[in-house]
Amino acid sequence: MQIKVIGLNHKTSSVEIREKLHFSKSFLPEALKKLRQSAKIKEAAVLSTCNRVEIYFTSSCPREDAERVKNFFSSFHNVERSVFEFSLYEYSEPESVSHLFKVASGIDSLVIGESQILSQVKQAYKIASETKTSAKILNRLFQTAFEVAKLVRAKTGINQGVISIGSVAVELMEKALGKISSRKVMVLGAGEVSTLVIKHLISKGISSIIVSNRSFERARKLAQVYEGEVIRFDQYLEYIPQIDIVISSTSAPHLLIKKGDILLAMEKRKSKALFLIDLAIPRDIEPDIKDIPGVFLYNIDHLKQ
């Protein structure tokens, strides 16, 4: 029995492909159960973030099981294998083990050393454990990965400097706009990425921040910590005409901001430039918005540089 991993990430695939194979947290237990049934795999865990989708599994028939996992990607998401297969990587031991160690340690991240990935790996393991798709072999693998990640962060300087998607997004804004302290910003979402974004916005001297989230209470608490304004989620489109920068990082399964919304907003803005940064997978902002004059749209892949 050996440990294998099949997946894709920001190095091998575009955001368009990653969002097609993304597993939302709420569907992960169902996905793991179907994976075990359809692929006949005893142990499995799924790691799905904005930058990667990976399935770790045990296998006694590596070639056959790898085909079953690839077919599972296709059937569960209703996506033809030809769309994503060229972006996949496939590792067996010992490469599969070292790969997880690198992922958990932040070595394989888009932003080297970012700390969010470790909590995401722990969440993936927790869900696999609760679903009972992780047993003796994967339990040992993930627990060792956590120890390695802790050791790497303690013994190296990997987590020094700019170490989060949120902080890099703010750097991107500075490069595009110059000084941003006087800009008005709206943040959609109240999760970890949104929190990091707001934290770095504050460090740059921005005082005008609006927070909106499907859970009003979560948005209110986040805004309160950083002395921002909170609005209800059904109102965010109304505020865009008076905003300079919109940063979106929600778990919505559908687009939140469409081309028609921005066309209307730009009329009210009298074509004053609008900057949109979409950090969500699946994406929150319709890609065609980039074609509107005066609108600058960036997604997670634009942070690579």
Side-chain angles (χ1 to χ4, degrees):
M1 190 72 70
Q2 64 171 268
I3 298 168
K4 289 185 67 68
V5 58
I6 295 178
L8 46 77
N9 62 19
H10 59 282
K11 298 176 183 177
T12 67
S13 64
S14 65
V15 63
E16 288 82 5
I17 294 176
R18 295 200 304 279
E19 70 180 355
K20 290 180 186 297
L21 298 187
H22 179 75
F23 293 90
S24 66
K25 181 181 174 181
S26 58
F27 283 106
L28 268 182
E30 175 191 348
L32 285 167
K33 291 174 183 177
K34 287 187 175 181
L35 173 62
R36 188 162 58 180
Q37 292 168 359
S38 62
K40 300 177 182 178
I41 290 170
K42 289 186 177 180
E43 294 189 48
V46 174
L47 174 61
S48 185
T49 74
C50 59
N51 287 318
R52 70 184 62 247
V53 181
E54 298 176 337
I55 295 180
Y56 294 83
F57 60 99
T58 57
S59 173
S60 56
C61 303
R63 186 170 298 178
E64 293 86 346
D65 288 341
E67 285 300 303
R68 293 187 183 111
V69 169
K70 292 173 185 177
N71 287 333
F72 171 75
F73 271 125
S74 176
S75 61
F76 189 84
H77 294 290
N78 194 26
V79 180
E80 293 290 333
R81 275 180 59 164
S82 59
V83 173
F84 62 84
E85 193 162 17
F86 67 94
S87 299
L88 292 176
Y89 43 79
E90 178 181 340
Y91 301 132
S92 300
E93 289 186 66
E95 288 80 7
S96 56
V97 175
S98 63
H99 177 74
L100 180 59
F101 291 175
K102 291 175 184 176
V103 170
S105 302
I107 295 172
D108 196 54
S109 294
L110 185 149
V111 181
I112 302 299
E114 58 99 359
S115 57
Q116 187 185 10
I117 185 62
L118 181 56
S119 63
Q120 292 169 329
V121 173
K122 287 182 177 180
Q123 184 66 41
Y125 171 61
K126 179 183 178 184
I127 293 174
S129 297
E130 292 173 346
T131 314
K132 301 188 186 310
T133 59
S134 178
K136 184 177 180 180
I137 297 175
L138 289 191
N139 287 348
R140 184 178 180 185
L141 170 68
F142 277 87
Q143 288 165 6
T144 305
F146 303 150
E147 294 173 4
V148 169
K150 183 177 179 181
L151 185 64
V152 168
R153 284 174 165 79
K155 298 294 184 179
T156 74
I158 193 171
N159 57 349
Q160 295 177 3
V162 177
I163 53 167
S164 74
I165 293 294
S167 57
V168 174
V170 173
E171 278 202 356
L172 176 64
M173 279 188 287
E174 285 190 308
K175 287 183 178 180
L177 296 169
K179 190 175 181 180
I180 61 174
S181 58
S182 62
R183 303 285 182 170
K184 295 181 179 179
V185 183
M186 179 162 66
V187 177
L188 299 180
E192 187 174 355
V193 172
S194 296
T195 301
L196 290 170
V197 166
I198 293 174
K199 180 180 179 181
H200 286 283
L201 287 172
I202 295 296
S203 73
K204 299 298 181 180
I206 286 184
S207 57
S208 181
I209 299 176
I210 293 175
V211 182
S212 188
N213 187 59
R214 196 169 299 279
S215 167
F216 181 79
E217 186 58 25
R218 285 190 67 181
R220 186 191 66 78
K221 288 181 179 178
L222 180 57
Q224 190 174 46
V225 170
Y226 295 100
E227 298 182 349
E229 180 184 352
V230 60
I231 61 172
R232 297 197 175 277
F233 204 60
D234 57 2
Q235 296 179 305
Y236 65 87
L237 290 176
E238 300 172 18
Y239 280 76
I240 291 180
Q242 55 188 280
I243 297 296
D244 299 310
I245 303 165
V246 179
I247 305 174
S248 191
S249 178
T250 79
S251 57
H254 52 75
L255 294 172
L256 297 180
I257 301 176
K258 298 182 179 180
K259 190 172 183 178
D261 301 323
I262 299 303
L263 285 170
L264 183 61
M266 291 305 285
E267 287 181 10
K268 296 178 180 179
R269 293 173 63 81
K270 297 181 180 179
S271 297
K272 181 182 176 184
L274 175 65
F275 289 78
L276 306 168
I277 301 181
D278 190 349
L279 302 179
I281 295 287
R283 286 172 289 180
D284 288 335
I285 303 174
E286 187 173 2
D288 288 347
I289 284 174
K290 71 180 187 303
D291 298 326
I292 300 175
V295 177
F296 301 85
L297 173 61
Y298 302 90
N299 60 46
I300 196 89
D301 280 355
H302 290 108
L303 305 186
K304 288 181 181 178
Q305 291 182 338

